[in-house]
Structures are given as structure tokens and as C-alpha cells.
Amino acid sequence: MTGHDPIDTSRPHPARMYDWFLGGKDNYPVDEEMARQLLELNPLGREMAKCNRAFMHRATRWLGDTAGVRQYLDIGTGIPTEPNLHQIAQEVAADSRVVYTDNDPIVLRHAEALLRSSPEGLTEYIQADAREPDRIVEQAGKILDFDKPVALSLIALLHFVPDEDGAHELVRKLLEPLASGSYLVISHVTGDYDPEGSEKAAELYKAKGVPLALRSRDEVGHFFDGLELVDPGVSLVAEWRPELGEVVFVPDNGLIPGFVGVARKP
């Protein structure tokens, strides 16, 4: 773990807004203010965060149970909310190894909660920006065995990385050193179902200095180019393997506008 960067409370941070949507206390007035503005555009903001979290749980359970994955690299970790990825992974297989990465110093403050590993397994935390894939790979490579499969988890991250910031190159660089049989897990907000509201949300983020790249189903699908998509392919959040449990209740006609997918590196 590195750095003691000051926490910037002058502008909202996605990890802290996500924490607010999930009912957490590790956020600031600037985060709550913007989260409430987003709720005015889409009142299902809290359900979106919970659905996204539930997908992460289902995907991790599937990776451990069905795919036999024992190593995880989670980028854009966010503020700890139980159960966390390592708790799900180590519940399935106690010897699972998990490396978390985030760029918000507030997550570093809570790293102790992220590092409560099972005795047989391991969890570590790297403070780094997702736009530093080389650094992440170098640091994670000291902890994980890249000669064996790794699940690369990019949950609610890529919609904050526009194409012009190299989103696809970022994914490629992170996948490149991983062994055959590794997996890519993505969840991503879309503007497909409410273009007008989505445009307003993007403008709101932009005004606060946070880029927002809302991609279509096909555009999200491009992140999986060259990989073998696991059924049901790129799907709506709540429609990805609901039989694995933890599908969050959504009100009638309350579509959760996000796409998710899991794919294997051949």
C-alpha cells in the first residue's frame, strides 16, 4: 500500500457516491448532493447500485464454483460493503487470492476491512488509478500468479473511462499478461433506455469534472472482443444468471439501465 493522498472533498467521487446509494456513511456533502441530483433524473439510482452489487456477487460465485477461479484482480474496488468480493470468493474456496485496486484515498483508509482474508487465502490492496494499467499489472504480479487464471473484475468502472482516454487499450493491457482460462467481468451503465435523462446525467458529471461514457450493448460487447462470452452473453444486470441468487427487487417497469458480461480468455 502506498501514499497518503489527501481526500478531495471539493468534487464528488464515484466510489463515495456509490457508497451513498448503498446507504453507507463514507461520503461527503458534495457526493450526496450530486447523488440526489442523479436521483431526480432517475429515481432508481439506489436500486441500480444494489443490482450492480448483486451481479458482482453472482459473477464471483459463478467464477469460483463453476469456472474454478482462485485469483481475482478487482479494479475500482470502492468503499467496502459486506459481503465484499473476497468474502464471496473465499466462501466458495478458502484459498482464493484477491487484489483490490482503487484511486480514492478514502478506500485506502478502509483497506483493513478489505484485507480480512481467510487464513488459507490472501487479500491485498493497491492504491492506483485504473488509467495506470502497467503499474497495476506490475504490482498485482507480485501477489498473483499470472501463469494461472485470474478473474479481472471491472465493476461499474469503464463508464468513467471515455474512448478518448483509452478505455479499450486499458482493458487490453490488463488482460494481456493473464493466463489462458482467465476471465473478464464487466458491469456498465447505458443510456440506451433513457437517452434524454442520460445526456443530462453526463452533463452533470462533466460539470463536476467527472467524465461519463454511456455505451450501448454493442459498445459494451466490444470490450469482450477475442474472448469467449459466458451465457447469457452481454445482458441486462438483473438478467445475468438470476438463479445464482441476490437479484434485487426492482419496481414494475423499473428497468435497471446497465449491461453486464463475463467472458473467458482462450
Side-chain angles (χ1 to χ4, degrees), residues 121-171:
L122 180 76
T123 68
E124 289 285 351
Y125 177 77
I126 301 167
Q127 189 177 4
D129 194 287
R131 294 174 181 83
E132 304 174 289
D134 294 333
R135 181 180 167 199
I136 292 171
V137 164
E138 183 206 350
Q139 297 279 326
K142 296 173 184 174
I143 303 159
L144 303 175
D145 182 355
F146 284 174
D147 291 330
K148 294 177 181 173
V150 174
L152 172 62
S153 179
L154 305 177
I155 300 293
L157 173 74
L158 290 169
H159 47 246
F160 296 117
V161 187
D163 287 354
E164 56 268 27
D165 282 1
H168 291 271
E169 186 186 9
L170 165 75
V171 174

Side-chain angles (χ1 to χ4, degrees), residues 2 4 18 24 33 38 41 45 66 71 147-148 186 230 249-250:
T2 61
H4 297 281
Y18 192 59
E33 180 191 1
L38 290 171
L41 296 174
T66 305
Q71 302 189 106
D147 291 330
K148 294 177 181 173
I186 289 175
V230 171
F249 168 76
V250 180

Side-chain angles (χ1 to χ4, degrees), residues 26-252:
D26 297 298
N27 51 76
Y28 294 90
V30 66
D31 306 304
E32 180 178 347
E33 180 191 1
M34 183 161 169
R36 288 190 183 279
Q37 287 175 312
L38 290 171
L39 282 182
E40 287 174 19
L41 296 174
N42 185 339
L44 290 176
R46 289 187 180 90
E47 285 78 10
M48 286 171 68
K50 289 172 184 171
C51 269
N52 187 65
R53 191 96 193 149
F55 161 72
M56 182 271 280
H57 291 163
R58 296 197 305 277
T60 303
R61 205 168 281 126
W62 183 89
L63 287 161
D65 263 339
T66 305
V69 172
R70 297 294 178 264
Q71 302 189 106
Y72 299 81
L73 176 55
D74 180 59
I75 301 176
T77 297
I79 293 157
T81 305
E82 293 199 346
N84 238 308
L85 190 150
H86 73 279
Q87 291 166 310
I88 301 286
Q90 291 175 351
E91 188 182 291
V92 174
D95 60 344
S96 297
R97 300 166 76 86
V98 179
V99 173
Y100 289 114
T101 307
D102 205 287
N103 71 340
D104 188 348
I106 201 171
V107 180
L108 178 63
R109 280 194 185 172
H110 293 274
E112 190 183 336
L114 292 168
L115 301 179
R116 288 190 197 125
S117 175
S118 64
E120 304 91 334
L122 180 76
T123 68
E124 289 285 351
Y125 177 77
I126 301 167
Q127 189 177 4
D129 194 287
R131 294 174 181 83
E132 304 174 289
D134 294 333
R135 181 180 167 199
I136 292 171
V137 164
E138 183 206 350
Q139 297 279 326
K142 296 173 184 174
I143 303 159
L144 303 175
D145 182 355
F146 284 174
D147 291 330
K148 294 177 181 173
V150 174
L152 172 62
S153 179
L154 305 177
I155 300 293
L157 173 74
L158 290 169
H159 47 246
F160 296 117
V161 187
D163 287 354
E164 56 268 27
D165 282 1
H168 291 271
E169 186 186 9
L170 165 75
V171 174
R172 184 183 57 75
K173 281 189 168 183
L174 290 167
L175 278 172
E176 213 163 29
L178 304 185
S180 170
S182 291
Y183 284 83
L184 173 63
V185 184
I186 289 175
S187 71
H188 196 298
V189 175
T190 184
D192 282 9
Y193 299 95
D194 179 14
E196 191 180 332
S198 300
E199 187 61 39
K200 287 178 181 173
E203 286 168 9
L204 190 58
Y205 271 100
K206 189 178 178 181
K208 300 288 187 183
V210 181
L212 187 65
L214 298 171
R215 295 180 173 96
S216 67
R217 187 192 294 256
D218 285 347
E219 287 169 334
V220 173
H222 282 315
F223 287 113
F224 297 106
D225 287 352
L227 306 178
E228 300 161 353
L229 273 163
V230 171
D231 283 341
V234 178
S235 62
L236 286 165
V237 186
E239 293 175 3
W240 197 90
R241 298 188 173 250
E243 73 278 4
L244 293 173
E246 289 188 67
V247 176
V248 174
F249 168 76
V250 180
D252 290 344

